[in-house]
Amino acid sequence: MKKLLTTLCAIVPLIGTVQAQEFTSTQLEQVKQVREQALNSDLSWQLLESLTSEVGPRLPGSENDKKAVAWAKQQFEQLGFDKVWLEPATFPHWRRYRESGAIVSPSTQPLHLTALGNSVSTPTDGITAAVVMFETLDELIAAPKKSLENKIAFVNYRMNRHIDGNGYGPAVRARSSGAVEAAKKGAIAYMMRSVSTSHHRFAHTGNSRYQEGVSKIPNTAIANPDADQLERLIKAGHAVSVNINLQTEDLGEGTSYNVIGEITGSEYPEHYVLIGGHLDSWDLGTGALDDGAGVALTMAAATHIKQVARPKRSIRVVLFAAEELGLWGAKAYFKQHADKLDNIVAAAESDFGADLVYGFESSVSATSLPIVRAIAQQLAPLGIEYIRANSARGGPDLIPLRQATDAPIFALHQNGTDYFDYHHTADDTLDKVAPDKLKQNTAAYAVFAMMAANAKTTLTGKAK
Amino acid sequence: MKKLLTTLCAIVPLIGTVQAQEFTSTQLEQVKQVREQALNSDLSWQLLESLTSEVGPRLPGSENDKKAVAWAKQQFEQLGFDKVWLEPATFPHWRRYRESGAIVSPSTQPLHLTALGNSVSTPTDGITAAVVMFETLDELIAAPKKSLENKIAFVNYRMNRHIDGNGYGPAVRARSSGAVEAAKKGAIAYMMRSVSTSHHRFAHTGNSRYQEGVSKIPNTAIANPDADQLERLIKAGHAVSVNINLQTEDLGEGTSYNVIGEITGSEYPEHYVLIGGHLDSWDLGTGALDDGAGVALTMAAATHIKQVARPKRSIRVVLFAAEELGLWGAKAYFKQHADKLDNIVAAAESDFGADLVYGFESSVSATSLPIVRAIAQQLAPLGIEYIRANSARGGPDLIPLRQATDAPIFALHQNGTDYFDYHHTADDTLDKVAPDKLKQNTAAYAVFAMMAANAKTTLTGKAK
């Protein structure tokens, strides 16, 4: 708090000048109004509750995915968005329909596992084989060729817990390419400790890939307590065998839709602030944190803005399709709009749950920094600190945008300390979202989007 | 803490006298020694780790149950118990072999459920029907006859969280007899919110019963987040249908064994302090809290006592069979020893996890209270308060003893605030036990058992 105050004292005189230049006092009054409205409204909660309960899990290509698209379109319309439309996106359609596992030696015990996205099936009775454990993916990569023949490879890497989720990247390597590396050594199946900080018995799913020319082997993650159990048995000197039974289906190319709602700007309608989340989710939970929250809070934020005052530039809420299977909706969106990416004056995706937003960060040109500081000042009453690194990456669906252009990118950093306790598991359900925190998130997005849309000067990105 | 100090100050002068009468200074020195040894030893942890990892779940009648019996016998022998033996117990042998559930309307979603013990199977494809929700079992009982025909009854009662687990009794009514009451109204299956304080997606199993002359319908509990989901959908006005698929098997009468290890007393070998837990567990988790902990800590406590000094009376560690299915091991034990129950000078079962013991309570004759206070004084350094109610009930396996005689009963009350987050679920695994707390538990049982075995006067029970 002291740090926050010091920061505020230092920037206040400058902000005074900036505000005079960039925002009228009426506009600043409206920002305050939208912030209060969002903090006192249940709208984002109602949207999240409806999406996660009435639709539920939303695996791309599933019936529920279609329902989610219809749901989002209808909600945008009912909320009074000026334009609502769909844009198609194709993706590799995959589903699981049954999965189970067991330790079969030294004693029979259930093994809580889940197929990783894209995994092939096992034979109907599963695969039973001896387990070879590695502490890291690199250890597996260093194993001699053929050393895993007729074995199940098990990577036991533990993910670190951190407020910004920085343990995820290092851990996810073993998910993305573990099966490929295991198959190269002759393994007949691949198994990993979940990319999760949970000590509950939920396996974490997520996307994975195969490699041309390398045998496709069944690919699974086990819950952390189950990984602990295997580790104990192996370290105690037991020869451990497990049975893995995954029944999945590759359904070829699927199509889903980015659902887009726009509040049209009064002065520069073609210029827009892009906020949003992804509409799809994994099939295990109901996708409350990932990413129902992002969907609900950005829909609600734009609605609050419109209700207070139509912005000068447009605000476009993009609900991306098929993020979980590889950003397919985002790729389609930024490809379809490739010739008009300069119209994006600010972009931020919420895809990190809905714990309190603690930091606001930009990635903009130096000339846009005064606007950023003015926005930061209006976020401060929400307990949000201005992070001056100016190297925001936005959410995952902004990756194609960042690769294509130098659009101004923003991050409203949610506290992610507990996020990976639930992410991609059956336990990602509505009760894991705190209503008051969701309101703070909604208010933060509303303040940010309103100010980015109303600044006198158009925000510009940091040249790459 | 202040309360504890006040209590101690009040009893110290009296204790001085009692100790002079009941315990020699050498004996009190030995109590201190055993307490320190237990606090510094990994023995109970090693036993718990081995039982839950190398054996795992221990459903009565299963292969693992047999392994557990062999494991316990071998451990007692290796630990140097003077006598080790088995006593048979029969029970109704039941098992689950597959179970699944789904909400099928208004949208398709997995439903995390588990068969309650003793449940009959559904047809192979499960039962799909509309759900009728009741907030309590009493509401269901009050429903009109035939009002649930072709429906699935759902009791949505929420269990309260409390340090002494007092929410369990009221909640468990709906588990014991819910299916019977639902069937009386024509329901074709019964479903209940889990008897659990967890907000994770684990269904809680547990014993249930049918009633002669009432149709046996499939009987299941759903995880609390799933119960929340059903409640939301129903309260939003949706007609909710679910599919319940339980495949279980009634295997007739099974036999398992109470495993008993004795440290034989030097002066009154036929008199004994009975401590223990139950060796069986439900099949979903690995029975770490319920009741691997009780098994491990009482085995270790007796071992520590023997290593410090052979007690005057015997200490008998009884690991009861088939507790979960209805106290079958306990019934067999106290029946088999019915003519010698007076030999039991003190009895305490640990079957409430392994969080810190916070209270020590007796149920003894007034003349034995000075001994109890002396024991309490030696438990105080472990942070354990003397609870003066003198109405201890001991653990569930002591119920047949309490019904048959007025043996002196003791309770070492574990903090049960979190116990029902894990109890009877797949999440009851070793990582839920804190090693240091298990040591405190072990030390508490060691101090209690040693002193109860060594008191000059024999403890006597409260006449009923």
Side-chain angles (χ1 to χ4, degrees):
Chain A
M1 183 50 92
K2 195 177 165 193
K3 190 177 169 196
L4 182 62
L5 287 176
T6 314
T7 308
L8 283 177
C9 294
I11 63 178
V12 162
L14 178 56
I15 293 288
T17 323
V18 171
Q19 285 180 358
Q21 292 170 350
E22 291 291 344
F23 299 98
T24 66
S25 57
T26 306
Q27 283 177 329
L28 289 175
E29 189 50 43
Q30 288 164 348
V31 169
K32 194 176 161 190
Q33 241 180 291
V34 87
R35 191 173 61 213
E36 290 306 307
Q37 179 172 324
L39 283 177
N40 287 293
S41 165
D42 286 328
L43 179 60
S44 50
W45 180 263
Q46 286 163 2
L47 290 165
L48 180 58
E49 180 173 0
S50 171
L51 177 62
T52 57
S53 305
E54 295 174 305
V55 180
R58 307 172 292 282
L59 192 69
S62 65
E63 275 306 304
N64 282 7
D65 186 40
K66 292 188 183 74
K67 284 192 184 189
V69 168
W71 175 93
K73 183 167 178 288
Q74 189 187 19
Q75 295 294 341
F76 274 135
E77 286 164 354
Q78 285 179 357
L79 291 169
F81 278 66
D82 300 306
K83 292 182 197 164
V84 181
W85 71 101
L86 309 185
E87 297 182 1
T90 59
F91 55 88
H93 187 187
W94 173 94
R95 73 174 185 115
R96 93 186 73 231
Y97 53 95
R98 204 170 54 245
E99 55 193 16
S100 63
I103 300 175
V104 295
S105 174
S107 79
T108 305
Q109 312 183 27
L111 194 61
H112 285 236
L113 58 70
T114 194
L116 293 172
N118 205 30
S119 174
V120 295
S121 293
T122 61
T124 315
D125 291 340
I127 287 174
T128 301
V131 174
V132 180
M133 181 171 76
F134 301 93
E135 287 305 323
T136 63
L137 178 64
D138 288 329
E139 274 189 19
L140 188 162
I141 292 171
K145 262 191 177 260
K146 299 191 177 182
S147 61
L148 298 178
E149 276 182 0
N150 297 317
K151 309 285 193 197
I152 296 174
F154 166 43
V155 170
N156 190 36
Y157 182 89
R158 280 177 167 78
M159 180 183 168
N160 287 335
R161 185 184 292 279
H162 197 276
I163 190 172
D164 71 2
N166 68 22
Y168 189 60
V172 94
R173 277 184 66 218
R175 192 185 80 200
S176 307
S177 57
V180 169
E181 299 302 334
K184 285 180 186 169
K185 312 294 180 180
I188 54 174
Y190 175 71
M191 187 166 72
M192 65 182 292
R193 180 184 279 271
S194 282
V195 180
S196 170
T197 50
S198 173
H199 68 294
H200 297 293
R201 221 155 162 206
F202 297 108
H204 161 281
T205 191
N207 209 23
S208 69
R209 60 177 178 75
Y210 291 116
Q211 188 176 304
E212 190 81 24
V214 178
S215 168
K216 294 182 177 184
I217 61 174
N219 194 1
T220 184
I222 62 175
N224 289 346
D226 296 73
D228 295 344
Q229 185 82 324
L230 286 182
E231 181 181 6
R232 274 191 295 271
L233 290 170
I234 290 167
K235 288 192 170 170
H238 294 282
V240 175
S241 295
V242 304
N243 174 272
I244 293 173
N245 193 326
L246 310 179
Q247 302 304 322
T248 65
E249 205 171 2
D250 176 348
L251 293 153
E253 187 177 86
T255 301
S256 187
Y257 297 89
N258 295 319
V259 186
I260 303 156
E262 187 175 281
I263 307 294
T264 305
S266 56
E267 290 186 30
Y268 313 105
E270 75 286 2
H271 283 173
Y272 65 96
V273 175
L274 189 162
I275 57 175
H278 62 85
L279 189 54
D280 65 310
S281 79
W282 280 103
D283 50 342
L284 301 177
T286 61
L289 291 167
D290 185 15
D291 182 27
V295 166
L297 74 91
T298 55
M299 291 175 97
T303 305
H304 293 309
I305 294 168
K306 192 193 173 200
Q307 288 172 355
V308 169
R310 181 173 292 279
K312 283 164 61 176
R313 298 178 188 82
S314 296
I315 292 172
R316 199 177 277 191
V317 179
V318 182
L319 307 181
F320 294 99
E323 188 269 351
E324 295 295 4
L325 303 184
L327 314 179
W328 295 98
K331 288 174 191 167
Y333 181 88
F334 293 110
K335 189 174 170 191
Q336 172 144 351
H337 299 273
D339 58 343
K340 293 177 183 169
L341 295 180
D342 288 349
N343 285 342
I344 300 175
V345 302
E349 184 190 29
S350 172
D351 184 20
F352 203 53
D355 206 332
L356 289 175
V357 175
Y358 67 87
F360 173 61
E361 190 183 0
S362 62
S363 177
V364 299
S365 67
T367 54
S368 292
L369 284 173
I371 303 175
V372 174
R373 289 194 291 267
I375 297 173
Q377 197 188 21
Q378 298 303 321
L379 291 171
L382 296 169
I384 299 170
E385 191 170 8
Y386 175 32
I387 295 172
R388 291 155 181 275
N390 197 32
S391 56
R393 300 165 57 83
D397 286 306
L398 301 186
I399 292 173
L401 175 64
R402 286 196 281 117
Q403 289 172 341
T405 183
D406 55 359
I409 301 281
F410 294 84
L412 288 144
H413 292 288
Q414 280 118 346
N415 183 330
T417 308
D418 300 332
Y419 182 64
F420 291 101
D421 289 354
Y422 305 109
H423 178 254
H424 292 196
T425 73
D427 212 23
D428 178 3
T429 51
L430 182 62
D431 54 295
K432 310 310 180 301
V433 177
D436 282 353
K437 292 180 176 179
L438 186 64
K439 288 178 183 174
Q440 186 253 17
N441 277 250
T442 308
Y445 267 84
V447 165
F448 153 70
M450 187 182 225
M451 293 184 78
N454 283 338
K456 188 172 172 192
T457 316
T458 301
L459 282 155
T460 51
K462 192 159 62 170
K464 282 186 298 195
Chain B
M1 183 51 93
K2 196 178 165 193
K3 190 176 170 198
L4 182 62
L5 286 176
T6 313
T7 307
L8 283 176
C9 292
I11 64 178
V12 161
L14 178 57
I15 294 288
T17 322
V18 173
Q19 285 178 359
Q21 292 168 349
E22 290 291 343
F23 299 98
T24 66
S25 58
T26 306
Q27 283 176 329
L28 290 174
E29 188 50 43
Q30 287 164 349
V31 169
K32 193 176 161 189
Q33 240 179 293
V34 87
R35 191 174 60 212
E36 290 305 307
Q37 179 172 325
L39 284 177
N40 288 291
S41 165
D42 287 327
L43 180 58
S44 50
W45 180 263
Q46 285 162 3
L47 290 166
L48 180 59
E49 179 173 0
S50 173
L51 177 62
T52 57
S53 306
E54 294 174 306
V55 180
R58 307 172 292 284
L59 192 69
S62 65
E63 276 305 305
N64 282 8
D65 185 41
K66 294 188 182 73
K67 283 192 184 188
V69 168
W71 175 91
K73 182 167 180 287
Q74 189 188 19
Q75 294 294 341
F76 274 135
E77 287 165 354
Q78 285 179 357
L79 291 169
F81 278 66
D82 300 307
K83 292 181 197 161
V84 181
W85 72 100
L86 310 185
E87 297 181 2
T90 58
F91 56 88
H93 186 188
W94 173 92
R95 74 173 184 114
R96 94 187 71 232
Y97 52 95
R98 204 169 55 246
E99 57 192 15
S100 63
I103 300 175
V104 296
S105 174
S107 78
T108 304
Q109 312 183 25
L111 195 61
H112 285 236
L113 58 71
T114 193
L116 293 172
N118 205 30
S119 174
V120 295
S121 293
T122 61
T124 316
D125 290 340
I127 287 174
T128 300
V131 174
V132 181
M133 181 170 75
F134 301 93
E135 286 304 325
T136 64
L137 178 63
D138 289 329
E139 275 189 18
L140 188 161
I141 291 172
K145 265 194 174 253
K146 298 192 177 180
S147 63
L148 297 178
E149 276 183 358
N150 297 316
K151 310 285 192 197
I152 296 174
F154 167 43
V155 170
N156 191 35
Y157 182 89
R158 282 177 166 77
M159 179 184 169
N160 287 335
R161 185 184 292 278
H162 196 276
I163 189 171
D164 71 3
N166 68 22
Y168 189 61
V172 93
R173 278 183 65 218
R175 192 185 80 201
S176 306
S177 59
V180 170
E181 299 302 334
K184 286 180 185 170
K185 312 294 181 180
I188 54 174
Y190 176 72
M191 187 166 74
M192 66 181 292
R193 179 183 280 271
S194 283
V195 180
S196 169
T197 51
S198 173
H199 67 292
H200 296 293
R201 222 156 162 205
F202 296 107
H204 160 281
T205 191
N207 209 23
S208 68
R209 61 177 177 76
Y210 291 116
Q211 189 176 303
E212 192 79 24
V214 179
S215 167
K216 294 182 178 187
I217 60 173
N219 195 1
T220 184
I222 61 175
N224 289 345
D226 296 73
D228 295 343
Q229 186 82 325
L230 287 183
E231 181 182 6
R232 274 191 295 271
L233 290 169
I234 290 167
K235 288 192 171 171
H238 294 283
V240 175
S241 297
V242 305
N243 175 271
I244 292 174
N245 193 326
L246 311 179
Q247 303 305 322
T248 66
E249 206 171 1
D250 175 349
L251 293 154
E253 187 178 86
T255 301
S256 187
Y257 297 89
N258 296 319
V259 187
I260 303 155
E262 187 176 282
I263 306 295
T264 305
S266 57
E267 290 187 30
Y268 312 107
E270 75 286 3
H271 283 173
Y272 65 95
V273 176
L274 189 163
I275 56 174
H278 63 85
L279 190 54
D280 65 310
S281 78
W282 281 102
D283 49 342
L284 301 176
T286 61
L289 292 167
D290 183 17
D291 181 28
V295 165
L297 73 91
T298 56
M299 290 175 97
T303 305
H304 293 309
I305 294 168
K306 192 194 173 199
Q307 287 171 355
V308 168
R310 180 172 294 278
K312 283 163 62 176
R313 299 178 187 81
S314 295
I315 292 171
R316 200 177 275 192
V317 179
V318 183
L319 307 181
F320 294 99
E323 187 270 349
E324 296 294 4
L325 303 184
L327 315 178
W328 295 97
K331 288 174 191 168
Y333 182 86
F334 293 109
K335 189 174 171 191
Q336 173 143 351
H337 300 273
D339 58 342
K340 293 179 183 167
L341 295 181
D342 288 349
N343 284 342
I344 300 175
V345 302
E349 184 190 27
S350 173
D351 184 21
F352 203 54
D355 206 332
L356 288 176
V357 175
Y358 68 86
F360 173 61
E361 189 182 2
S362 61
S363 177
V364 298
S365 67
T367 54
S368 291
L369 283 174
I371 303 175
V372 174
R373 290 194 291 266
I375 298 173
Q377 196 186 23
Q378 298 303 322
L379 290 170
L382 297 168
I384 299 171
E385 191 171 6
Y386 174 33
I387 296 172
R388 289 155 182 275
N390 198 34
S391 56
R393 301 165 56 84
D397 286 307
L398 301 186
I399 292 173
L401 175 64
R402 286 196 281 118
Q403 288 171 341
T405 185
D406 56 358
I409 302 281
F410 294 84
L412 290 145
H413 292 288
Q414 281 119 346
N415 184 331
T417 309
D418 299 333
Y419 182 63
F420 291 102
D421 289 354
Y422 305 110
H423 176 253
H424 291 197
T425 73
D427 211 24
D428 179 3
T429 51
L430 182 62
D431 53 297
K432 309 311 180 302
V433 178
D436 282 353
K437 293 181 176 179
L438 186 64
K439 288 178 183 173
Q440 186 255 16
N441 277 252
T442 308
Y445 267 84
V447 165
F448 153 70
M450 187 182 224
M451 293 183 77
N454 283 338
K456 188 172 172 192
T457 316
T458 301
L459 283 156
T460 51
K462 193 160 60 171
K464 282 185 297 193

